[in-house]
Amino acid sequence: VEGGDSARAAIGAGATSQAADGVEPAAGRAVTDVPEQPLGPPVDDLMARAQAIFKPIPDRAPDPEGNPVTPAKVDLGRQLWFDGRLSSSGVISCNSCHNIGMGGVDGVPTSIGHGFQKGPRNAPTVFNSVFNVAQFWDGRAADLMEQAKGPIEAAVEMNARPEEVVATLSSMPGYVEQFERAFPGEAEPLSYDNIARAIEAFEVTLVTPNAPFDDYLRGDGEALDEKERRGLAAFMDRGCIACHSGVNLGGTAYFPFGLVSRPGADLLPEGDKGRFEVTRTATDEYVFRAAPLRNVALTAPYFHTGQVWSLHEAVEVMGTAQLGTELTAGEVDDIVAFLGTLTGDQPRMEYPVLPLRGVDTPPPSGY
């Protein structure tokens, strides 16, 4: 819910927010071009405006470039997702910080990693992340394959070395067979890159279609009630769409946090300069990727610091920090009601039975 007076003026001119000047999205293989989906005729001007700005979440995301998504690859990626043996302690998995049963997050301000260390930023949801232009708050990973490697190697997260992970999985006959099925014909099916490719293929399936707002975009005028429609109108009229549009309602560009009014140090600590740490460009100081708002009602706490637990408060903060205005209590209530319509069908899956240790499987090195 970002923008500002300048953003609202820019929207009227068919442009993007001034905050985006000089802040280029990272290049990568992220799936940002969603195939056109049939939309019903709009029932009124509000729906017509919404259809021009947003897109429904599709039932299936397109395959990432260079990584065809197959059932064998997805099944392998699902097992790797839940397997703590990718970490040096043997207990921290991808699901530890991106819980499939909790909106794709862990529900704490910053994740707890190796040795009970706290991570520096709030874990963003993994749901619909395939539609983001890049991964992480600062966009340092160009795609989900690159992102999958980051937590495995980070000392504060899973604290593992690539060669250790490959050796551990290679010692388990069940994994060796599955990598051969998922990557047939390759000289080394079980490689570190293919571990990341399998996890990426699984993450591509974590989309949440059929939210009430998706039904509305497809022409169902009864999908939103009067309060939710008022919230949608305020969301667009107030300028939130400067940063939160498209299929994921965000996640496609970078903006300063505190465009109009800088938040306090609890929400914007001096030591975390955001995208500047990636680009070393002065104009990128305290710039972050606009958070995608799909399923936002499920993903508290909010912002990269994870210090705001109430969605009402998060909307109020965005009003002052990004829009440069104090939203009325009614506007905040309406916008929160609209944001609740962005919750789609949550992924449901059976917890996998993981391959057994082999006779040569090494014990966890970091236990």
Side-chain angles (χ1 to χ4, degrees):
V1 193
E2 304 174 2
D5 290 335
S6 60
R8 291 193 293 275
I11 293 167
T16 57
S17 166
Q18 181 180 354
D21 289 349
V23 184
E24 295 295 329
R29 298 184 300 116
V31 177
T32 55
D33 293 326
V34 182
E36 288 298 325
Q37 302 175 65
L39 302 179
V43 299
D44 54 27
D45 180 64
L46 179 65
M47 182 181 288
R49 292 172 59 203
Q51 289 177 336
I53 295 168
F54 308 105
K55 291 182 179 181
I57 290 283
D59 291 334
R60 185 183 187 280
D63 294 354
E65 181 182 345
N67 189 17
V69 175
T70 64
K73 204 177 291 182
V74 170
D75 188 56
L76 171 59
R78 179 171 62 98
Q79 294 194 55
L80 295 170
W81 182 267
F82 288 98
D83 200 333
R85 292 171 295 187
L86 269 64
S87 67
S88 66
S89 66
V91 297
I92 300 174
S93 69
C94 303
N95 199 63
S96 298
C97 300
H98 302 282
N99 195 312
I100 302 300
M102 295 175 56
V105 299
D106 53 12
V108 294
T110 59
S111 300
I112 305 300
H114 182 76
F116 291 95
Q117 298 177 86
K118 292 182 179 179
R121 295 176 184 152
N122 179 256
T125 180
V126 70
F127 292 169
N128 306 306
S129 58
V130 65
F131 301 118
N132 296 332
V133 71
Q135 306 303 321
F136 298 115
W137 284 97
D138 54 18
R140 65 184 181 275
D143 49 55
L144 289 172
M145 178 181 169
E146 185 178 345
Q147 183 274 331
K149 296 178 180 179
I152 294 175
E153 300 173 35
V156 73
E157 297 183 67
M158 298 169 80
N159 190 44
R161 295 198 301 270
E163 59 272 20
E164 289 181 334
V165 175
V166 171
T168 296
L169 299 186
S170 296
S171 71
M172 302 177 190
Y175 267 132
V176 172
E177 293 172 5
Q178 289 186 67
F179 272 91
E180 290 173 349
R181 287 198 298 269
F183 300 96
E186 294 194 12
E188 293 185 54
L190 206 168
S191 66
Y192 192 57
D193 280 348
N194 282 348
I195 292 171
R197 288 189 181 98
I199 294 174
E200 177 182 51
F202 171 68
E203 288 191 69
V204 166
T205 70
L206 300 179
V207 296
T208 61
N210 303 318
F213 186 54
D214 292 324
D215 294 337
Y216 182 78
L217 291 175
R218 294 189 178 102
D220 181 359
E222 302 300 316
L224 305 188
D225 63 25
E226 182 179 352
K227 184 180 183 68
E228 292 161 349
R229 289 194 294 271
R230 286 201 311 266
L232 169 60
F235 189 86
M236 294 190 291
D237 294 340
R238 280 297 200 170
C240 306
I241 54 175
C243 306
H244 298 283
S245 60
V247 67
N248 226 5
L249 281 81
T252 57
Y254 307 94
F255 301 89
F257 188 15
L259 172 62
V260 179
S261 177
R262 185 169 178 145
D266 56 335
L267 299 184
L268 190 64
E270 286 284 337
D272 186 351
K273 295 189 176 182
R275 188 149 174 78
F276 171 80
E277 302 298 336
V278 178
T279 66
R280 295 294 169 178
T281 301
T283 54
D284 283 345
E285 288 190 358
Y286 306 108
V287 165
F288 297 88
R289 190 195 62 191
L293 299 183
R294 289 286 183 171
N295 304 291
V296 68
L298 309 179
T299 60
Y302 301 108
F303 306 126
H304 67 286
T305 52
Q307 293 301 305
V308 173
W309 288 89
S310 162
L311 189 52
H312 279 78
E313 183 181 350
V315 172
E316 291 172 345
V317 169
M318 288 288 94
T320 55
Q322 303 302 107
L323 301 177
T325 189
E326 187 171 335
L327 299 170
T328 69
E331 286 177 317
V332 173
D333 285 344
D334 290 346
I335 290 174
V336 169
F338 162 65
L339 294 177
T341 73
L342 303 179
T343 301
D345 294 342
Q346 303 297 289
R348 296 179 182 273
M349 62 193 67
E350 182 178 338
Y351 196 99
V353 177
L354 303 176
L356 294 174
R357 291 170 50 87
V359 293
D360 298 320
T361 300
S365 63
Y367 182 74

